[in-house]
Amino acid sequence: MNRPDISDLFRISNAKFTEWATTIHDYQRKNNPVFDQWCAQFPTEGFNFLPISFFKSHRVVTQNPETPQQSTTDSPTIFTSSGTSQQTPSQHIVSNIALYEQSFVSGFELQYGRMDQYCVIGLLPSYLERTGSSLIYMVDYMIQRGKPGSGFYLNQYEEVAHIVTQNEKNGIPTLLFGVTFALLAMAEFLPVQQWNQTIIMETGGMKGRGPEITRDELHDRLLNKFNGANIHSEYGMTELLSQAYATNGHRFGCPPWMKVYIQDPGDPKHWLPNGKTGRLCVIDLANIDSCSFIATDDLAKRFDDGSFEVMGRLDFTDLRGCNQLVI
C-alpha cells in the first residue's frame, strides 16, 4: 500500500475525516512495525492508539519502501521532549519538515488569521536552553515572519513591555508565547499593563521552577497584571505535528485534520462518552510518517462540539494491561 496522497489534507472537511483516518490507519499498520505489533497485541474495534511512551523506547516511523523519498540528501528532523536528566526523552522523527510547517501554519491561521500580521514574542527560556524543541521551531518560524520587534526574550521584561506598549499605540497585535513560570515572573516584575490588542499564549508547565498551579489560577494572576489581554492556551507536544488552541483558555479546539477521543484508563477497548474524564487519545492525520493515532498521558474530557479540556496527568499505578512491546 503506497503512501496516501495528503496534498489536500489541510483543506479536509469534517465529513471526510473518518475516510482519511481509516486510509492512514491501514497504511500505518502495513508500514509501521511498532504500530502494527501494538495493534496485533491489543486489537480493538475501530482505531488503535499507540501509547505515547513508545516514542521514548522505539523508533516510531512509517515508511513504505516502495515510495521514493522526496530527497535523497535531506536527513530527517528529530524533535525531542523536555524532561529531567533522569527521564528518557521522546524522539519524534520528522522526515518532511515542510509538512510540519504546513500543519502549524494552517492550524494557526484558521484560528487567528495571517501570522505575518502579528508581532510574535517568545518567552520560552526552558525550551531555549535545550535543542530539539518543536515548539521553538514553530515559534521561530513565526518570529521570522512577524512584525518588527518579534523575537525570543529571556528575562528582558521591560523590553518586552516596551515593545508591546508601542504595538498597542500603533494598532499592531502582539502574540506572546510564554511558558507558565516565565509569564508569572514577568507578571511579578512589571507594573500593571493595559494590553488590549495582545494575545498571551500560555504553553503550560512550571518546568520544575516552582509548584504547578491550575490554569484558572494562572489566568487570574495574568489578568490582574495585564489588563485587557486575551489569555489563550496552546496544546501541542513533541509527538504531534498539529496543535489545538483554547481561545478562552480552557476548551481546546482542533483543526479539521485532528480529532480527540476519550479512553477508559483502565480498559483501552472502552471509549467514554462526552463529558466523562479519561485518557486523551489524539488522531493527528499530519503525522502520516510517524504515527497518527496516539494515546497521550493526559486526562481530559471531550465536549459535544469536539473540543476538549485537559484535566491533569494520568496516574499509571492502577492501570491494567501491558504497555510494553517487544520487537
Side-chain angles (χ1 to χ4, degrees):
M1 181 179 183
N2 288 331
R3 183 180 187 271
D5 179 7
I6 61 168
S7 56
D8 291 330
L9 176 63
F10 302 110
R11 294 188 291 272
I12 188 176
S13 65
N14 286 328
K16 289 286 187 179
F17 184 89
T18 300
E19 178 182 334
W20 280 68
T22 301
T23 299
I24 291 175
H25 189 275
D26 292 345
Y27 167 69
Q28 291 184 338
R29 281 216 61 176
K30 289 179 172 65
N31 297 283
N32 184 326
V34 173
F35 185 53
D36 182 57
Q37 290 193 40
W38 171 260
C39 295
Q41 283 189 253
F42 299 96
T44 63
E45 291 186 14
F47 301 122
N48 299 80
F49 290 84
L50 186 73
I52 199 168
S53 59
F54 280 65
F55 284 84
K56 296 182 178 183
S57 56
H58 296 76
R59 189 174 186 270
V60 183
V61 174
T62 302
Q63 182 177 336
N64 184 350
E66 297 180 3
T67 303
Q69 295 296 306
Q70 291 187 341
S71 171
T72 57
T73 58
D74 292 344
S75 58
T77 301
I78 300 178
F79 290 128
T80 57
S81 64
S82 59
T84 67
S85 58
Q86 288 78 36
Q87 294 176 326
T88 301
S90 292
Q91 285 199 342
H92 188 185
I93 300 169
V94 180
S95 60
N96 184 357
I97 196 64
L99 184 59
Y100 178 45
E101 294 170 354
Q102 191 176 4
S103 179
F104 67 65
V105 169
S106 299
F108 176 85
E109 293 190 342
L110 273 174
Q111 185 67 58
Y112 294 101
R114 289 175 59 91
M115 63 175 56
D116 60 7
Q117 300 304 304
Y118 292 86
C119 174
V120 182
I121 292 174
L123 201 63
L124 303 165
S126 59
Y127 292 92
L128 286 171
E129 292 164 1
R130 65 181 186 84
T131 59
S133 166
S134 57
L135 176 63
I136 291 295
Y137 188 98
M138 179 180 76
V139 176
D140 182 62
Y141 184 99
M142 294 181 175
I143 285 171
Q144 298 305 319
R145 291 153 180 81
K147 296 287 189 183
S150 297
F152 287 108
Y153 297 85
L154 293 175
N155 57 355
Q156 303 111 305
Y157 305 132
E158 288 180 335
E159 185 175 355
V160 169
H162 175 73
I163 292 169
V164 175
T165 299
Q166 290 303 116
N167 289 341
E168 294 278 338
K169 291 179 180 178
N170 296 325
I172 298 172
T174 302
L175 176 64
L176 196 163
F177 280 90
V179 68
T180 299
F181 74 85
L183 293 174
L184 290 175
M186 183 173 67
E188 267 190 44
F189 182 86
L190 293 175
V192 173
Q193 307 288 312
Q194 189 69 40
W195 289 354
N196 298 314
Q197 298 184 72
T198 298
I199 296 172
I200 297 178
M201 186 73 71
E202 61 96 358
T203 62
M206 291 297 290
K207 306 301 179 185
R209 309 294 178 96
E212 295 289 342
I213 63 174
T214 66
R215 182 167 280 118
D216 283 340
E217 183 181 354
L218 170 64
H219 289 198
D220 286 344
R221 289 167 67 175
L222 294 178
L223 286 171
N224 285 337
K225 183 58 65 79
F226 306 115
N227 289 338
N230 299 287
I231 313 297
H232 294 189
S233 301
E234 179 256 358
Y235 183 87
M237 57 181 61
T238 300
E239 300 83 1
L240 298 176
L241 291 188
S242 302
Q243 299 76 34
Y245 292 100
T247 57
N248 63 1
H250 294 86
R251 285 174 144 193
F252 292 95
C254 297
W257 55 91
M258 177 182 178
K259 282 193 177 182
V260 302
Y261 299 86
I262 306 300
Q263 189 182 70
D264 184 338
D267 181 3
K269 296 183 179 182
H270 182 215
W271 299 99
L272 299 179
N274 292 340
K276 297 295 184 180
T277 299
R279 186 176 194 171
L280 180 66
C281 292
V282 179
I283 299 179
D284 178 9
L285 298 182
N287 247 1
I288 188 170
D289 297 318
S290 55
C291 185
S292 292
F293 306 84
I294 297 175
T296 76
D297 290 342
D298 290 323
L299 280 173
K301 58 182 175 182
R302 186 179 185 270
F303 299 93
D304 291 342
D305 62 358
S307 66
F308 65 98
E309 183 175 352
V310 178
M311 315 302 293
R313 298 288 285 174
L314 197 62
D315 180 0
F316 286 93
T317 55
D318 295 326
L319 295 194
R320 300 187 302 272
C322 174
N323 273 355
Q324 301 301 317
L325 182 64
V326 178
I327 293 181

